[in-house]
Amino acid sequence: MSEFNDRALTQQVLDSFANTPDPRRKMLISELVVSLHEFVRKTNLTFEEWDFAIDFLTRTGQKCTATRQEFILLSDVFGVSMLVDAVNHGSRDDATETTVLGPFYVGEHKPMPHGSDISAGIPGEPLFVSARVTGLNEPLANVAVDVWHADGDGFYDSQKSSYETQGASLRARFITGSDGRFSFRTILPCSYPVPTDGPVGQLLAATDRHAMRPAHVHFLINAAGFEPLVTHVFVEGDEYLNSDAVFGVKDDLISRIKRHDEPIMPDGSPASGPWYEMKYEFRVRPGTGHVPQPLTAAAAE
Ligand code: BEZ
Ligand code: FE
C-alpha cells in the first residue's frame, strides 16, 4: 500500500471503475469522479458542509412523488436542464429554439377544434393565439401540437385541487390544418413562481434568488419525420424575461403581444372588450428525437 495522498485517491477511484464494460458509462462516471474530487479539493469542503449537502439531497429525494420532481427542479435552477438541452440541440439551422419542458406537462391533451376557447370559465384578459407549423421550408399538415399555460394567478390546472374532479383547463391539443395553421382562444398568462415549498425553494431563498418565471405558453410539437419541438412562447415586456429562475428564455421565443379593440376576433367570433393577439411560426427540422414523457407516466413505468 503506497502512502495516501489525495491525487492518488482520485486515481484509485478512477481505477476502480476501469472494468466498466460500457465505454460511455465508464466515461460519464470517470468525468463525474474527476469533477467531484476537484470540487472538494478546490473548496476545502468541511465536514459540516458535506453533511449539509447530503441532508439537502436526501430532502430533495424525499420531496419527490409521482407528480412532483424536486430533482428536475434542482437541475432547472442550476441551469443544468437548459445546458443538457443546449448540448443536445446545438445549432438550430433556422429551426425554432427549444427550452425546458417543465413539470406541468401531463400528456394526452384533449384534441380541440381550431378556434376553441381553452380558458372556458377562467377569468383573465382574452388572448387569441394564431400559429403555424412548418418544416424548414414547407407548412406541415396534420401535426399534433400540445399547448398548456398557467392562469392569471400563476397556477397550472394540475396544481389545483379541482383538477381531479374538473379536469383540464388552459391545456389542449390542436392538429394543424393543410396550411400548417392552428389557432385558439385563451387568457393572457402571467409570470409565476416555480414551486418553493421544498428544498429548492429554500436554496433560492438562502441565495437571495427569486423564484419567478416570465409569462409564457408551452408548446410541444411532434411531427412525424421531424425532431420533436419542446418550447415556450414568452410574453414581450414581462419583468422577469432577463432573470427567469430556470434560465429558459431565448430572444427568438419572445413574442410581441398586440392589443386589439376591434369587436371581432380573427376567427370571426365576437370580442366583449379589448383582446390580445399572439402570432408565432414554429419551424421544426427533419429528424428524430426525444419525446418527453409526462411525470406521471414516467413515474408509473
Ligand atoms: C414551467 O414552465 O412550467 C416550469 C419549468 C421549470 C420549472 C418549473 C416550472
Ligand atoms: Fe410554465
Side-chain angles (χ1 to χ4, degrees):
M1 190 78 192
S2 54
E3 201 181 323
F4 181 86
N5 79 58
D6 68 80
R7 299 275 163 194
L9 170 70
T10 302
Q11 193 54 53
Q12 271 177 359
V13 178
L14 290 172
D15 292 346
S16 76
F17 289 109
N19 294 335
T20 306
D22 181 86
R24 174 81 183 162
R25 183 174 300 166
K26 181 175 169 183
M27 187 274 277
L28 292 175
I29 292 176
S30 302
E31 290 296 333
L32 184 62
V33 168
V34 169
S35 297
L36 277 175
H37 282 220
E38 207 44 45
F39 176 80
V40 175
R41 230 176 251 120
K42 251 199 256 169
T43 58
N44 274 322
L45 199 69
T46 65
F47 286 116
E48 290 75 17
E49 287 160 348
W50 187 229
D51 285 350
F52 180 87
I54 298 284
D55 180 60
F56 179 84
L57 292 174
T58 304
R59 288 185 289 113
T60 299
Q62 287 165 341
K63 192 72 190 169
C64 295
T65 66
T67 53
R68 172 75 184 261
Q69 234 303 354
E70 194 75 356
F71 271 113
I72 297 183
L73 190 57
L74 187 59
S75 149
D76 292 342
V77 302
F78 270 107
V80 177
S81 304
M82 282 304 288
L83 191 55
V84 172
D85 189 66
V87 297
N88 279 278
H89 284 120
S91 112
R92 297 298 296 146
D93 295 337
D94 286 339
T96 298
E97 294 285 357
T98 52
T99 188
V100 288
L101 178 71
F104 303 117
Y105 178 59
V106 300
E108 307 222 357
H109 286 184
K110 188 171 148 224
M112 293 176 91
H114 292 185
S116 297
D117 183 359
I118 68 168
S119 70
I122 298 191
E125 302 193 83
L127 173 70
F128 193 90
V129 179
S130 305
R132 187 161 83 124
V133 179
T134 72
L136 294 182
N137 302 303
E138 70 295 3
L140 296 179
N142 216 20
V143 174
V145 180
D146 282 332
V147 305
W148 66 106
H149 70 87
D151 66 15
D153 294 324
F155 291 105
Y156 285 80
D157 55 358
S158 57
Q159 291 179 287
K160 300 179 198 168
S161 53
S162 57
Y163 184 58
E164 289 298 321
T165 49
Q166 291 175 12
S169 60
L170 302 179
R171 69 174 75 234
R173 168 169 290 188
F174 296 97
I175 307 292
T176 58
S178 55
D179 53 1
R181 293 186 184 282
F182 66 96
S183 62
F184 59 97
R185 283 180 291 145
T186 186
I187 53 168
L188 265 184
C190 68
S191 45
Y192 64 87
V194 300
T196 54
D197 58 342
V200 174
Q202 291 165 1
L203 169 77
L204 294 177
T207 52
D208 201 15
R209 276 180 59 181
H210 72 70
M212 298 302 287
R213 297 217 62 210
H216 57 271
V217 179
H218 291 255
F219 293 86
L220 168 52
I221 300 179
N222 197 1
F226 291 82
E227 285 182 4
L229 175 67
V230 175
T231 197
H232 311 348
V233 176
F234 292 93
V235 174
E236 190 185 61
D238 189 287
E239 66 176 298
Y240 297 107
L241 282 171
N242 289 322
S243 64
D244 181 3
V246 306
F247 310 97
V249 180
K250 294 175 177 172
D251 286 352
D252 289 353
L253 299 178
I254 301 171
S255 165
R256 200 169 77 79
I257 310 288
K258 197 170 166 210
R259 182 190 146 121
H260 291 269
D261 292 300
E262 305 89 51
I264 302 288
M265 288 194 177
D267 64 347
S269 61
S272 53
W275 52 279
Y276 293 82
E277 187 176 25
M278 172 189 279
K279 285 184 172 171
Y280 205 83
E281 180 155 305
F282 299 96
R283 289 158 71 82
V284 290
R285 61 176 183 188
T288 53
H290 172 69
V291 182
Q293 295 303 307
L295 219 44
T296 40
E301 273 169 14

